[in-house]
Amino acid sequence: MTVQGQQSSGLTSLTPEGRAAHLWTPGQELAAKLLFGGLGCMTAVVFTHPVDVIKTRLQLQGEAIAVTTTTSVVLPSSSTSVLAATHTLHPTITSSPTAGGAVMRAAITPATTVTATQTTQTLGLIPLLRQILRTEGPRVFVAGLAPAVLRESVYSTIRLGSYDYFKGIYSGMGAAGLRGGEETTTLVKLMSGLTSGMIGSAIANPTDLIKVRLQAFWPSGKPRYASIADACRSIYVEEGIPGLYRGVIPTAARAMVVTASQLASYDTTKHWLLKLRDSQGQAQFHEGYLTHLCASTVAGLVCSISTSPIDTVKVRYMNQQFNAQGKGHLYRSAIDCAVKTVQREGPLALYKGFLMCWLRLGPHTMLSLMIFEKLRSFVGLNPV
């Protein structure tokens, strides 16, 4: 077992900060990485959340809206028996005399229809910001912050903290492997990111769902839910336990792509930079802020390009309303959402809010990974 700043003999030496390095057991090391991964992302989301709100609003623009209409259907007496035989409609039978004195019976029943109509207003970034500030005020930029932080405490704790764990498994070194900062193949990095992202997002899906719904605009001018507790209670009453896991498939798909592209590109770029040599054979980059900043900047761009379409579909599918049977008013599934979005608005609609997606994921990636690396270095753990 080797630790950064520690000799292979296993004797305790000094960390880069000048303190004695701790001899970590595999369990302690995994726990520390989980903690540091969560802290890094929770800190980053506080600074990038306002951008996330704007991104969500841009992604929802131009989306079809569900319109509920109620009509009364009047059927003649000849149709009454057919109507009464059905269980989905509950007619009210009324009688009225005709001119000849005969009585004509009719069934009057309300029929509720949910249809999707296209919204007409699609604003650019600056007009949208003006409208948000004019109609909702600056407080809207922290809408959904509490569930966002809660989400990171679960989702990112798992996806960042277990990344090295899965690298050890997929590289064949076992769960206790990769404790000396060993380099792995790109495939191992991608598989590790896919696995850790999927597990973290599936567990944290309820918090992601609540965050999206609190960030969305509602014509009433009030948030859909008063708090996280109110959101959980309302979703449970209206949609049941499965309601908390609406959109878990696109959420997991996005998280898999996010983590795989983000961590694999960061890991690969950083090690590539560390291998660069000048004409005298001296290293041009060393472990530290500059290397972490350059690598995380690349990772943020790669992550944004690869995940923006999935993120748009996830946001739209989660934000729609569902009936008591769990059927969405606008989309049957995430695939149906993607198809309808492209049909109505064109393929570029999947990249709505891309600039804000990058402005959020870029700084978020830089902050979270730099904090993650610094905390690891602080206690003597090897870097990513």
Side-chain angles (χ1 to χ4, degrees), residues 152-169:
E152 295 292 349
S153 71
V154 180
Y155 164 57
S156 291
T157 292
I158 295 173
R159 74 181 185 92
L160 258 67
S162 63
Y163 176 68
D164 283 346
Y165 174 85
F166 287 110
K167 280 203 322 185
I169 292 177

Side-chain angles (χ1 to χ4, degrees), residues 40-64:
C41 289
M42 289 167 67
T43 303
V45 78
V46 172
F47 292 97
T48 61
H49 187 75
V51 183
D52 192 34
V53 174
I54 301 170
K55 173 193 70 74
T56 300
R57 295 297 182 89
L58 286 169
Q59 290 173 328
L60 292 173
Q61 282 195 119
E63 182 184 29

Side-chain angles (χ1 to χ4, degrees), residues 190 193 256-266 299 302-304 306-307:
L190 289 172
M256 291 168 70
V257 176
V258 164
T259 309
S261 61
Q262 183 186 62
L263 294 184
S265 60
Y266 174 81
V302 172
C303 182
S304 300
S306 60
T307 62

